[in-house]
Amino acid sequence: MNSDTNAPPHRRPVIGICARTAPVTLQGSDLTVALALSAHVAFVSEAGCTPVLLPLVQGAEDLIGRLDALLVPGGPDLDPALYGAVAHPATRAMSPDADRIELALLRAALDARLPVLAICRGMQALNVLHGGTLHQHLSDVTGHDGHRPRTASFTLGRQPLTLQAGSRIAAVLDGEQEHTACHHHQAVDRLGSGLAVTARAADGTVEAVEVVGHPFAVGVQWELGQTPDKRLHHALAHAAERRQKEPAALSVH
């Protein structure tokens, strides 16, 4: 008799993607919608996972037990009150209620040992969750606008990137020296407890962090999803597959 006869059927790992709320015009109507970049959806799907959009509503963290990984994308500035600061004149588009829900989602995911990929604002949220602070307007610190070019149309900044040898991010990116593709005006200031810096730009800006002791919890400051680079999405998917096969994870679903 085949010992696998009674084994549960394989299912694609489920990756939750935190939604962003934005105004759009559709068929002549002005609407507010919950959305995700199509690249995030496509990249995790082609890596063998099922993406699920997570609107930032009360109780969203209760869905963590149904997920195999979490992706926290870029978005608006975090409420500076979350890290004990007053708003800089350049800080904009704050949504305190959504911030707190997203932080609860992120906390629940980390506590459940889910793989996490936090992008741009997502990395900043990861830092704030661990007690860190942010530079609210990076050009005040660096003296240049290279991380968010001032151009008539949306333009990605290209900053040389130095990776920490032996880090997870270095392994995913094959240890090569990379260049960021970024568009942000905020960044990590004081690093949160339990995080390690694993990449920096040439001007010292923190470009990647990892949660110490976690199987896969990576934050990057650059704009994943705005370029064809799929390596970190695929690494998240592979981490989700590995977790799905763990006995403890299987018992949750």
Side-chain angles (χ1 to χ4, degrees):
M1 180 180 293
N2 187 340
S3 61
D4 293 332
T5 299
N6 296 320
H10 173 75
R11 64 167 181 81
R12 289 164 65 94
V14 178
I15 297 183
I17 302 176
C18 293
R20 296 290 172 242
T21 301
V24 301
T25 300
L26 182 65
Q27 296 181 338
S29 296
D30 294 329
L31 307 171
T32 300
V33 300
L35 50 79
L37 282 178
S38 61
H40 292 321
V41 173
F43 291 172
V44 299
S45 178
E46 72 178 41
C49 297
T50 299
V52 174
L53 195 65
L54 301 176
L56 298 182
V57 296
Q58 199 65 41
E61 68 273 19
D62 296 337
L63 296 173
I64 287 298
R66 298 176 179 271
L67 304 178
D68 298 295
L70 180 68
L71 189 155
V72 186
D77 294 338
L78 288 161
D79 181 3
L82 291 168
Y83 48 95
V86 298
H88 185 285
T91 298
R92 70 216 191 288
M94 293 178 292
S95 302
D97 289 343
D99 291 344
R100 285 164 176 79
I101 292 168
E102 187 162 83
L103 288 171
L105 255 175
L106 191 50
R107 178 76 275 161
L110 293 173
D111 287 347
R113 307 286 281 176
L114 259 65
V116 171
L117 176 58
I119 300 167
C120 197
R121 166 203 156 94
M123 187 184 94
Q124 295 165 12
L126 187 65
N127 188 56
V128 170
L129 181 66
H130 285 80
T133 63
L134 303 178
H135 294 301
Q136 290 191 57
H137 198 53
L138 187 55
S139 61
D140 291 348
V141 179
T142 63
H144 65 82
D145 292 314
H147 294 272
R148 188 180 68 170
R150 293 178 181 267
T151 56
S153 59
F154 182 86
T155 303
L156 294 173
R158 301 288 291 174
Q159 298 292 315
L161 183 65
T162 301
L163 306 175
Q164 178 66 44
S167 65
R168 189 171 296 280
I169 190 75
V172 172
L173 301 182
D174 300 323
E176 299 174 2
Q177 184 179 35
E178 298 277 335
H179 283 74
T180 65
C182 58
H183 192 89
H184 63 100
H185 81 115
Q186 299 197 337
V188 168
D189 181 7
R190 186 182 72 242
L191 186 68
S193 176
L195 298 179
V197 175
T198 53
R200 290 185 184 270
D203 60 15
T205 299
V206 175
E207 292 289 346
V209 299
E210 298 174 20
V211 178
V212 176
H214 192 282
F216 187 100
V218 175
V220 297
Q221 186 58 70
W222 57 93
E223 294 286 351
L224 284 180
Q226 301 274 9
T227 73
D229 189 349
K230 309 171 185 179
R231 288 174 292 180
L232 277 160
H233 292 84
H234 284 219
L236 178 68
H238 294 154
E241 291 170 357
R242 288 193 300 272
R243 183 184 183 279
Q244 188 192 53
K245 295 174 183 177
E246 297 173 358
L250 291 173
S251 66
V252 171
H253 296 285

